[in-house]
Amino acid sequence: MLHPPHQSLQVAAVPSQRAPARDQAGPWHTEAVCRRDEAGLFFAPSKEPTAARLAREEAAKGVCARCPVMIECREHALLQPEPYGVWGGLTAAERRVVLARRRRREMELKAVSPGNRIAAAG
Ligand code: SF4
């Protein structure tokens, strides 16, 4: 799992989220707005109250909205997939929704592909 460009004190304490691998991330990582500031905004501290989480996530999304590599970051987080934190302007829950929609769409496309229609007819 790749660590996002932003550094979080909470994340630094969690071994599974440590060890940035910028060389694996590609060039987008060097352009990340969150490399320079907003530490602690992108990952939830333990036992974060809901209202605080929502406010923090909105603030993180605001940072992402002005990031020149938001699309690349989002795709990275979807493809890995990254299970925690705000990446590319999406929370983990929002990424799960996007992935579920993609899977459903892929299944629908497979169902109507010419190869499947021939198999179903035969
Ligand atoms: S989109 Fe957000 S999380 Fe991703 S690199 Fe940019 S600021 Fe960081």
Side-chain angles (χ1 to χ4, degrees), residues 16-85:
S16 65
Q17 295 181 340
R18 218 185 289 163
R22 295 188 178 120
D23 52 331
Q24 295 172 13
W28 66 268
H29 211 263
T30 60
E31 302 296 319
V33 168
C34 58
R35 283 175 63 94
R36 296 184 285 276
D37 55 10
E38 288 90 15
L41 205 52
F42 294 83
F43 287 95
S46 63
K47 298 179 181 174
E48 183 180 39
T50 301
R53 176 179 57 79
L54 294 173
R56 179 185 51 72
E57 288 174 345
E58 282 308 307
K61 288 178 180 185
V63 176
C64 294
R66 60 184 168 84
C67 180
V69 293
M70 186 176 79
I71 300 300
E72 293 88 343
C73 175
R74 179 179 294 182
E75 276 308 304
H76 162 83
L78 289 167
L79 291 174
Q80 282 304 305
E82 296 289 353
Y84 306 107

Side-chain angles (χ1 to χ4, degrees), residues 97-117:
V97 170
V98 170
L99 287 172
R101 284 185 186 147
R102 282 186 180 180
R103 278 193 295 271
R104 190 171 59 236
R105 186 174 183 89
E106 284 171 14
M107 289 173 61
E108 289 169 355
L109 289 172
K110 266 187 196 169
V112 298
S113 71
N116 283 346
R117 274 187 265 154

